[in-house]
DNA sequence: CTCCAGGGATGAT
DNA sequence: ATCATCCATGGA
């Protein structure tokens, strides 16, 4: 199996894959196994280089957005202590370029779910409905096509632990399979029109739409506001004020974080999730109260 | 056990 | 426009 070597400066593979933007890469040997579209591969990082088995250099460079001017993007963040801490914590984190359908479908399943469980759902869908690919001794599955999911049923999908999200995923898959919704064409739309099209899909609201606009349509200004980001903005930028409404948060985010707001958001999200006591596995209690 | 999670849709003020 | 409620499931 051929190994290719790719220079990758200002990039941290592990941080990027653990930052809650993509959910199917799995730790393997000293790196990660996953798929870029239909291409199965293994990637490991050694310093400022990537070693890749199973993929081409252009494909990998594009997926991991190695062409983003990361230093320049980070310099464009607001110059405040909150962003400085996040920037320092998230060195090498890149907002990657994901396939549109895969990204949309995955974030439809993400509502009111922890990252660990989104991973679980993603793998269940892939194993059950996705085309199998082998790389060495590893078997992987592509994300299922809209056509394949459209041909299932809600009760089938619920077997993947989707809960109430099954209905939305099915309905959206059917809109895309029928050609009524054309994700690829929507790339030509303005931000407002694109958001409108996405929000018209079942299970897609402002948050999921912004995730897709950021992670799959490469619009780095899009600023998804989830519970973590809402909490962070409220605690760090609205100190002493009454709890801001959703509209207030959105207006603030759009005006304050600017052209690379999506990147700033991803840095704030990862920093908050990994440093808050909620985000990490708590240390086991040495002295636990006696049970019963 | 309880609390909460990268929310969205719907219906009532 | 803002708010309440419901929707499943599992991690911590």
């Amino acid at each position: 199996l051929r190994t290719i070597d790719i220079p990758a400066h200002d990039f941290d593979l592990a941080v990027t894959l653990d930052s809650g933007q993509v959910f199917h890469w799995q730790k393997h040997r000293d790196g990660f196994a996953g798929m870029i579209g239909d291409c199965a591969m293994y990637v490991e990082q050694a310093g400022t280089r990537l070693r890749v088995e199973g993929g081409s250099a252009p494909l990998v460079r594009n997926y991991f957005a190695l062409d983003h001017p990361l230093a320049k993007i980070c310099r464009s963040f607001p110059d405040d202590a909150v962003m400085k801490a996040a920037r320092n914590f998230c060195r090498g984190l890149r907002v990657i370029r994901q396939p549109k359908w895969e990204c949309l479908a995955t974030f439809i399943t993400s509502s009111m779910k922890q990252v660990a469980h989104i991973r679980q759902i993603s793998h269940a869908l892939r194993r059950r409905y996705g085309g199998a690919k082998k790389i060495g001794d590893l078997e992987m599955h592509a994300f299922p096509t809209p056509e394949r999911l459209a041909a299932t049923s809600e009760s089938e999908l619920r077997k993947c632990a989707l809960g109430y999200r099954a209905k939305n995923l099915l309905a959206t898959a059917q809109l895309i399979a029928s050609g009524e919704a054309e994700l690829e064409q929507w790339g030509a739309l303005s931000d407002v029109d694109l958001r409108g099209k996405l929000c018209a899909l079942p299970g897609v609201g402002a948050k999921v739409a912004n995730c897709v606009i950021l992670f799959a349509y490469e619009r780095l200004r899009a600023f998804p506001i989830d519970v973590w980001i809402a909490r962070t903005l409220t605690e760090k930028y609205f100190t002493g004020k009454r709890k801001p409404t959703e509209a207030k948060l959105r207006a603030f985010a759009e005006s304050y974080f600017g052209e690379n707001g999506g990147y700033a958001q991803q840095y704030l999200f990862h920093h908050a999730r990994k440093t808050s006591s909620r985000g990490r596995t708590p240390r086991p209690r040495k002295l636990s109260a006696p049970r019963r």
Side-chain angles (χ1 to χ4, degrees):
Chain A
L1 195 54
R2 202 165 69 89
T3 299
I4 60 175
D5 189 272
I6 303 173
H9 295 275
D10 288 333
F11 181 56
D12 190 316
L13 178 66
V15 168
T16 297
L17 293 180
D18 190 35
S19 69
Q21 52 179 319
V22 64
F23 302 92
H24 76 278
W25 290 85
Q26 290 181 296
K27 283 184 185 169
H28 181 68
R29 285 159 42 193
D30 294 320
F32 299 87
M35 295 190 67
I36 300 178
D38 288 323
C39 184
M41 69 184 70
Y42 167 76
V43 185
E44 73 178 35
Q45 180 163 27
T48 59
R49 311 193 77 78
L50 296 179
R51 280 201 285 272
V52 179
E53 297 173 11
S56 73
L59 182 69
V60 171
R61 269 199 295 266
N62 181 67
Y63 183 74
F64 290 116
L66 298 183
D67 55 305
H68 280 172
L70 194 62
K72 185 177 173 187
I73 289 171
C74 288
R75 266 185 269 118
S76 78
F77 293 164
D79 185 21
D80 66 41
V82 179
M83 281 310 308
K84 195 167 298 182
R87 200 167 56 210
N88 201 36
F89 185 83
C90 300
R91 267 180 207 291
L93 197 173
R94 286 176 184 265
V95 170
I96 70 175
R97 296 191 179 95
Q98 300 187 49
K100 294 178 175 61
W101 158 246
E102 177 181 323
C103 181
L104 169 65
T106 303
F107 276 98
I108 285 175
T109 70
S110 76
S111 105
M112 293 303 302
K113 280 293 178 192
Q114 297 180 158
V115 169
H117 197 211
I118 302 169
R119 295 192 122 91
Q120 207 172 306
I121 292 172
S122 168
H123 283 122
L125 290 171
R126 284 169 176 270
R127 271 197 308 275
R128 203 179 272 265
Y129 303 113
K133 295 274 181 175
K134 273 195 178 168
I135 169 168
D137 53 344
L138 267 178
E139 179 168 277
M140 285 186 270
H141 294 264
F143 194 85
T145 63
E147 291 77 18
R148 181 66 189 91
L149 290 189
T152 64
S153 66
E154 182 180 338
S155 58
E156 269 292 306
L157 287 179
R158 279 179 182 254
K159 292 176 186 167
C160 297
L162 280 171
Y164 63 87
R165 304 155 192 84
K167 188 178 197 171
N168 293 328
L169 181 59
L170 178 62
T172 292
Q174 287 170 342
L175 284 174
I176 290 164
S178 74
E180 198 166 324
E182 299 183 301
L183 297 186
E184 299 300 330
Q185 318 284 353
W186 294 355
L189 297 176
S190 68
D191 287 358
V192 173
D193 290 344
L194 174 58
R195 188 171 291 109
K197 289 286 194 186
L198 289 170
C199 287
L201 297 171
V204 181
K207 191 270 174 181
V208 169
N210 277 331
C211 283
V212 178
I213 292 171
L214 175 61
F215 299 137
Y217 285 88
E218 306 177 46
R219 306 202 185 177
L220 302 185
R221 169 185 278 281
F223 196 102
I225 299 178
D226 74 316
V227 290
W228 287 95
I229 290 296
R231 195 157 50 221
T232 300
L233 294 184
T234 302
E235 287 173 0
K236 307 292 188 184
Y237 293 101
F238 289 80
T239 53
K241 302 178 167 63
R242 358 169 48 93
K243 225 173 67 175
T245 64
E246 196 177 308
K248 279 281 191 186
L249 287 180
R250 286 219 286 213
F252 170 73
E254 182 151 343
S255 67
Y256 186 73
F257 293 99
E259 57 173 343
N260 295 305
Y263 250 100
Q265 173 276 152
Q266 196 59 19
Y267 277 50
L268 290 173
F269 175 80
H270 185 66
H271 181 49
R273 204 168 70 85
K274 290 297 176 179
T275 57
S276 154
S277 55
R278 297 178 210 246
R280 288 162 318 174
T281 57
R283 310 224 45 91
R285 305 266 73 178
K286 189 157 191 178
L287 296 173
S288 62
R291 302 187 183 279
R292 188 161 30 97

